[in-house]
Amino acid sequence: MQIYFVRHGKTEWNLASRFQGGHGDSPLLPQSLEDIKKLGQHLIGVKFRGIFASPLDRAFNTAQGIDNAMNANLPVVIDERLREFNLGDMEGMKFEEAEKKFPEQMNNFWHHPDKYDPTELHGEDYMHVIGRGKSFAEEMAKRFPDDNDKVLAVSHGAALSAIMGGLLGYPLKDIRKNGGLSNTSLTILETLDGGKTFKPVVWNETSYLGRKLSKTDSL
């Protein structure tokens, strides 16, 4: 079976280089609504067994927009395990602010996941995010065991980097080695052994957007 992982559309806080995290949220940009429609049109013809989304509006609304553009008429099921990283005290802060206030944590969060300690930030660590993501993926593999089964899961940049790195078996220090994910990007992971192992089929695909991405599309 395959899981089509999508990062939500770009938001006002993405544009402003501001951390949203697991509890902050901001509206999708008008451009994002067009991008979401393009992704949905790109996916027309794919027979999904289910559509799942983080409970945060930016992810849920992205999933709903894709569903509408595909004319799939599937309910979008909220799954808490797809929520963005809880970044604690960094949520709502601009990146440059957080870098001044929490330089070590910021550096480790982006570049040294094995050293990231969110205790001071009252946040969530990588292993917890990876664990909930694996729980979701393994459940999907059991519920939809046929090789041709496909589900769509809309989540967030930091969470997906951790979750998918974990599913691919990367050691914690290398969990982000494939780089960041762009807004409204598509990554497909496949398992043929009931969720024991996964392999990448598509990674961070955005060609269907038909435009050159800016730096803030990948923050």
Side-chain angles (χ1 to χ4, degrees):
M1 66 89 65
Q2 293 181 336
I3 304 178
Y4 283 54
F5 286 107
V6 170
R7 185 187 175 195
H8 63 79
K10 190 173 178 180
T11 69
E12 292 176 1
W13 282 17
N14 288 139
L15 187 62
S17 299
R18 190 182 292 276
F19 280 120
Q20 294 178 104
H23 300 94
D25 214 356
S26 71
L28 294 166
L29 296 167
Q31 172 72 60
S32 296
L33 302 179
E34 291 302 311
D35 289 346
I36 291 163
K37 189 182 293 184
K38 288 176 182 177
L39 173 52
Q41 291 168 345
H42 175 71
L43 293 174
I44 286 175
V46 179
K47 303 296 183 187
F48 288 110
R49 297 296 306 279
I51 298 178
F52 301 86
S54 154
L56 295 166
D57 282 350
R58 61 190 185 273
F60 179 83
N61 291 339
T62 296
Q64 192 66 66
I66 293 169
D67 185 44
N68 291 342
M70 289 192 299
N71 292 314
N73 296 313
L74 287 169
V76 177
V77 179
I78 290 176
D79 196 302
E80 184 67 33
R81 292 169 294 184
L82 297 173
R83 183 184 286 271
E84 177 62 300
F85 236 105
N86 175 4
L87 296 173
D89 297 344
M90 290 198 296
E91 293 186 1
M93 295 180 73
K94 287 200 167 188
F95 292 171
E96 56 188 27
E97 286 179 78
E99 206 155 2
K100 287 176 184 171
K101 192 167 183 181
F102 307 111
E104 183 180 2
Q105 288 93 334
M106 275 281 285
N107 183 50
N108 288 340
F109 180 73
W110 292 122
H111 305 296
H112 306 287
D114 55 321
K115 297 178 181 176
Y116 178 64
D117 181 358
T119 306
E120 181 189 358
L121 303 172
H122 310 101
E124 185 177 21
D125 64 25
Y126 270 87
M127 291 308 296
H128 189 266
V129 176
I130 293 167
R132 56 181 168 87
K134 278 188 169 182
S135 167
F136 170 81
E138 288 166 1
E139 181 187 320
M140 294 299 105
K142 287 183 176 66
R143 284 177 62 184
F144 308 108
D146 291 349
D147 288 353
N148 292 327
D149 284 343
K150 296 172 175 62
V151 299
L152 181 71
V154 182
S155 184
H156 306 265
L160 283 178
S161 291
I163 290 167
M164 295 193 299
L167 292 175
L168 294 172
Y170 298 160
L172 186 54
K173 68 182 181 63
D174 297 325
I175 210 80
R176 294 177 57 88
K177 72 177 184 178
N178 290 332
L181 298 166
S182 300
N183 288 113
T184 333
S185 63
L186 172 65
T187 299
I188 303 172
L189 300 190
E190 180 178 63
T191 178
L192 299 175
D193 56 10
K196 294 175 186 171
T197 61
F198 284 81
K199 67 176 183 179
V201 178
V202 169
W203 192 270
N204 197 34
E205 177 63 43
T206 57
S207 61
Y208 44 80
L209 299 180
R211 62 181 178 84
K212 186 176 180 181
L213 301 186
S214 68
K215 184 181 176 184
T216 55
D217 285 310
S218 298
L219 293 177

